[in-house]
Amino acid sequence: MRPVLKAFASDHPVAVFFAVVARWLVWTVTGSPAAILAAVACLLAGASLRASAEVAAVGLAVMAAWGMTSWYPTRLRWVWLWWRICRFRLRWPTVMGSVVGTWQTVVAKALSSNNYSVPGGLRPILDAPALGLFPRIRGTVVIWTVRPAAGHTLADLAAQVDTIAANYRIVDRVDVDYPKATAHKGRLVVSFADELVTVREPSWAS
């Protein structure tokens, strides 16, 4: 499927540029359902479109600020974790581009010539390791199925986990599990918080 998409990208750079923008919007909105629901509630209550949009913008800003901290109430853990999962997926191609040294920020090149289907593309979404759509969640640890990028192995990805984690302010640790060096599918294990920090001393011990 990826070769087909790359072939399309090579002939339609402008369309792919807007697809990248749409992807950003989808992950941002998906990661902030509370802000979007608040904006919809404002519209239903009779507020203007501008006021509703401002409410959504403030909500997104609050979630972004919250996502950069390590504090969250236990009852809101799922909101906190969902935001981080979506932020991780949103930035995954960008981070991998930075890790392997292919990241470029010349937006004008995306409109003047194709800059997506080459290794040094503007935002190499199709060149990043492929993550599964439905991760498993265990506490604050999220596990994705992962396939290596073309021309690379899971061993290559495993050697980059420290650099990957360092590029995410919202991530505590990243690991890659795979059965053998030639495997085409493994597991990307992302810890969004240090679980030992959240362990509380039992009341009887104090």
Side-chain angles (χ1 to χ4, degrees):
M1 187 62 180
R2 284 199 168 197
V4 174
L5 293 176
K6 286 186 177 183
F8 176 83
S10 66
D11 295 326
H12 303 84
V14 176
V16 174
F17 173 78
F18 286 106
V20 170
V21 174
R23 177 185 180 275
W24 180 87
L25 288 173
V26 167
W27 277 115
T28 300
V29 171
T30 302
S32 309
I36 303 305
L37 290 175
V40 172
C42 289
L43 282 173
L44 294 177
S48 66
L49 181 61
R50 178 179 178 179
S52 300
E54 290 174 349
V55 168
V58 170
L60 291 173
V62 170
M63 289 300 298
W66 190 20
M68 294 180 182
T69 70
S70 58
W71 175 89
Y72 58 94
T74 302
R75 294 182 179 180
L76 295 178
R77 170 177 291 197
W78 278 101
V79 175
W80 172 88
L81 186 60
W82 179 252
W83 167 254
R84 295 202 168 196
I85 288 173
C86 292
R87 287 290 297 171
F88 184 90
R89 287 300 300 262
L90 172 64
R91 297 193 61 237
W92 176 248
T94 305
V95 168
M96 289 309 304
S98 299
V99 169
V100 299
T102 61
W103 173 248
Q104 295 181 4
T105 58
V106 184
V107 178
K109 290 186 67 176
L111 298 177
S112 61
S113 63
N114 181 3
N115 201 35
Y116 290 94
S117 61
V118 294
L122 176 71
R123 185 165 187 165
I125 294 174
L126 299 178
D127 292 322
L131 298 182
L133 293 177
F134 305 103
R136 286 181 292 170
I137 300 174
R138 298 175 180 174
T140 57
V141 176
V142 180
I143 304 170
W144 279 279
T145 299
V146 62
R147 296 180 183 274
H152 295 274
T153 65
L154 289 172
D156 296 332
L157 184 62
Q160 299 167 335
V161 292
D162 291 337
T163 307
I164 293 172
N167 275 270
Y168 280 104
R169 295 183 62 181
I170 61 174
V171 167
D172 181 68
R173 180 184 175 91
V174 176
D175 295 287
V176 176
D177 294 333
Y178 53 95
K180 57 182 180 179
T182 56
H184 296 288
K185 183 167 66 174
R187 302 191 311 162
L188 184 75
V189 184
V190 181
S191 302
F192 286 96
D194 185 348
E195 291 289 341
L196 295 179
V197 173
T198 62
V199 174
R200 297 182 179 179
E201 187 180 68
S203 58
W204 52 264
S206 57

